[in-house]
Amino acid sequence: MKVALITGITGQDGSYLAELLLEKGYMVHGIKRRSSLFNTDRIDHLYQDPHHPKQRLKLHYGDLTDSMNLTRIIEECQPDEIYNLGAMSHVKVSFDTPEYVGNVDGLGTLRILEAVRLLGLEKKTRIYQASTSELYGGLAENKNERGFYDENSPFYPRSPYGVAKIYGFWITKNYREAYNMFACNGILFNHESPRRGETFVTRKITRATARIALGLQDKVYLGNLDAKRDWGHAKDYVRMMWMILQADKAEDWVIATGKTTTVREFVRMSFAEVGVELEFKGKGVDEKALVKKCNNPEYQIEIGKEVLSVDPSYFRPTEVDLLIGDPTKAKEKLGWVPDYDLKDLVEDMMRSDIKLMKKDQYLKNGGYTTLNYFE
Ligand code: NAP
Ligand code: F7E
C-alpha cells in the first residue's frame, strides 16, 4: 500500500487531496496543528473511528516551524509521497505577520526537504510543493507572447506571502538538482470550492450572497473589485497534484484555467445564482452594487437595495492586479482535464452556502436539527 503524508491536511486542498488518496487506496498521514478549538471540520467525514483496524487516515500533531517534529513524523511514516500544503495562505494577512510567514511558508519547505534527505529517503520519497501564481506578481510585461504566465515566466512577488513562497519554490528546485530528489513545484493559480476559507474573496462573496438572499445580512464590504483572477475548482487542482508525483520526471507545472475574471464579475455571477441582477454604480471607493431585479420568488430582496460597498481597509499595500495562467504543459504532458469551469464553480459554492445559511437560519429561529438535516 502506498503511503502519503500531507501537511495542511485540515485546509481546503488537504481535505480534498486526502479524499482522493484514500479513494486510490493509500494510507494517508496528515499533520494537524494543536488548536484550542476543533480544527478538523473539513476531514471529519473521513475520520469516523481512529481505532478501527481498517482506518487508513492517521493524524499527527505537528507544525512546519518544528524541524524535530517533522523529522520524527517522516521517519515514522516512511512516506512514498509528501504533499507540502501547509502554509499561512492569506496574502493580506501576510503583511501583518511577515516573519511568521517566512518561517512557515519559506523555511517550512526546507525543513521537509532536509528531513527527507537526512533520513536517507531521497530515493524513496517524492515531494510536492504547493507553489503559487502569487510568484508572478501580476506584472503585465512578464506574460508570455500569448498573454499568459507559464513555467518560463519571470517571478516578481508582491507580498510577504509571495516572497516566502518563492523561497519554497527555489529550495525545492535546488534539492531536486543538488540531491537528485523527486521534488516538484505545482504553480497553482487560485482555486476555490465550498470548503474555501471564509476570508478569501470568492467564499466571502458566496457566503454573503446567500445570507443577503435569505435576509440574514444587509450587505457585504469588499476591497479591490477590479482585481482579476484565474479561478478554478480545488477538486480539479488536487487531482493534478497527484498526477505531478506520478509523472516520469520531476518537473515544475502551472495549473490554471487560462481565463481571468474580475472580483466584480464574480459578485455578479453569485447573485445571478439566486436570481438577483445587480447594477454597479460609482467608481473606486464610492462604488456600490444595487439590486436591479429579483427573479426568484423565494428571495424577496427589495429593488434598489444596496448590497455591496467598498471598504478600503481590504486594499493591500501592494496588489496583484491580474493573474492568468497557461496550463498547456499540464494538459499535453500529463493529460489533465478540469471538470469544472467558473460557472460550475460558482454554482457549487452557492448551492453549498445557501444550504449552510438555511440551516443557520433554521437554527436561529429555534429549530432543532441533526447535522445531516439539510444534506
Ligand atoms: P488553507 O485552506 O489555508 O490551508 C492551509 C493549511 O496549512 C491548513 O491545514 C493549516 O492548518 C495549515 N497550516 C498553517 N500554518 C501551519 C503551520 N505553521 N504548520 C503546519 N500547518 C500549518 O490553504 P489551501 O487553499 O488549502 O492551500 C494549500 C496550499 O496551497 C497552501 O500552501 C497555499 O499557500 C497553496 N496555494 C493555494 C492556492 C489556492 O488558491 N487555494 C493557490 C496556490 C497555492 P489550520 O487548519 O490549523 O489553519
Ligand atoms: O484575493 C481582492 C484581493 O484573498 C483575491 C490564496 O489562496 O490565491 C489566494 O490569494 C483578490 C485580491 O486570494 C476582497 O485584493 C477584493 O486581488 O481571495 P483572495 P489571493 O490574494 O489571490 C493565491 C494563488 C494563493 O496562493 C493564496 O494562498 O480579491 N479582494 N476584496 C479581496 N480579497 C479578500 N480576501 N477580501 C476582500 O474583501
Side-chain angles (χ1 to χ4, degrees), residues 7-15 31-35 39 42 62-65 70 84-90 100 104-105 128-134 161 165 186-192 195-197 200 234 237 241:
T7 73
I9 194 167
T10 57
Q12 170 188 254
D13 291 3
S15 66
I31 296 185
K32 68 164 181 174
R33 301 192 287 174
R34 194 271 156 181
S35 105
N39 61 354
R42 291 184 178 106
D63 200 291
L64 281 160
T65 57
L70 294 171
N84 184 32
L85 311 186
M88 201 309 284
S89 71
H90 202 285
Y100 175 72
V104 176
D105 299 16
Y128 172 88
Q129 166 59 15
S131 281
T132 165
S133 51
E134 283 294 301
Y161 170 78
K165 283 281 185 179
I187 308 173
L188 270 53
F189 283 64
N190 299 53
H191 45 281
E192 322 291 312
R195 295 187 198 164
R196 185 56 145 154
F200 295 96
Y237 287 48
M241 292 176 188

Side-chain angles (χ1 to χ4, degrees), residues 38-309:
F38 287 125
N39 61 354
T40 53
D41 279 17
R42 291 184 178 106
I43 50 169
D44 282 344
H45 62 292
L46 301 174
Y47 198 57
Q48 303 295 344
D49 177 4
H51 305 292
H52 193 282
K54 290 203 174 138
Q55 174 71 46
R56 283 188 286 110
L57 174 62
K58 183 169 163 59
L59 297 181
H60 305 255
Y61 281 111
D63 200 291
L64 281 160
T65 57
D66 184 339
S67 317
M68 281 190 277
N69 154 271
L70 294 171
T71 310
R72 181 179 51 73
I73 294 170
I74 294 172
E75 186 177 28
E76 268 173 40
C77 310
Q78 297 282 311
D80 299 294
E81 295 167 12
I82 297 180
Y83 296 86
N84 184 32
L85 311 186
M88 201 309 284
S89 71
H90 202 285
V91 173
K92 172 78 161 56
V93 174
S94 78
F95 289 95
D96 300 324
T97 61
E99 181 185 346
Y100 175 72
V101 170
N103 194 3
V104 176
D105 299 16
L107 288 177
T109 312
L110 170 70
R111 292 185 183 105
I112 297 279
L113 291 159
E114 188 61 359
V116 168
R117 192 176 79 84
L118 291 176
L119 292 166
L121 294 172
E122 61 272 56
K123 294 265 174 309
K124 172 183 168 73
T125 306
R126 295 184 166 201
I127 300 172
Y128 172 88
Q129 166 59 15
S131 281
T132 165
S133 51
E134 283 294 301
L135 301 187
Y136 299 117
L139 257 63
E141 61 270 31
N142 288 345
K143 288 191 222 159
N144 67 18
E145 62 292 343
R146 295 173 49 239
F148 298 93
Y149 297 100
D150 63 22
E151 288 82 0
N152 299 313
S153 305
F155 297 143
Y156 197 108
R158 303 257 296 160
S159 64
Y161 170 78
V163 173
K165 283 281 185 179
I166 213 165
Y167 178 86
F169 175 92
W170 281 110
I171 201 69
T172 300
K173 200 170 162 95
N174 178 248
Y175 269 56
R176 178 165 83 221
E177 291 170 359
Y179 306 115
N180 203 20
M181 286 167 65
F182 199 105
C184 308
N185 288 289
I187 308 173
L188 270 53
F189 283 64
N190 299 53
H191 45 281
E192 322 291 312
S193 73
R195 295 187 198 164
R196 185 56 145 154
E198 288 86 348
T199 61
F200 295 96
V201 78
T202 55
R203 187 74 200 290
K204 186 170 164 183
I205 294 167
T206 57
R207 274 173 59 90
T209 306
R211 290 177 60 80
I212 292 168
L214 292 167
L216 294 167
Q217 179 176 329
D218 278 336
K219 66 195 282 190
V220 61
Y221 292 88
L222 296 175
N224 180 5
L225 301 179
D226 292 318
K228 292 178 106 176
R229 289 291 182 274
D230 179 331
W231 281 299
H233 197 297
K235 278 190 180 173
D236 283 328
Y237 287 48
V238 301
R239 187 156 34 82
M240 187 56 199
M241 292 176 188
W242 175 79
M243 290 168 96
I244 286 173
L245 290 196
Q246 316 312 308
D248 295 335
K249 195 171 150 231
E251 289 182 70
D252 303 323
W253 306 84
V254 162
I255 315 299
T257 69
K259 298 204 171 82
T260 194
T261 308
T262 60
V263 169
R264 185 182 298 101
E265 183 56 23
F266 195 98
V267 174
R268 209 192 290 279
M269 290 174 78
S270 300
F271 274 89
E273 285 299 316
V274 285
V276 174
E277 193 182 320
L278 295 181
E279 182 178 20
F280 287 82
K281 284 191 171 164
K283 286 241 168 310
V285 291
D286 296 322
E287 187 165 354
K288 317 253 178 241
L290 312 176
V291 173
K292 193 171 167 197
K293 275 190 202 152
C294 179
N295 304 322
N296 188 338
E298 203 188 331
Y299 308 117
Q300 293 302 329
I301 311 182
E302 188 193 318
I303 305 304
K305 181 183 167 73
E306 191 178 295
V307 288
L308 179 152
S309 289

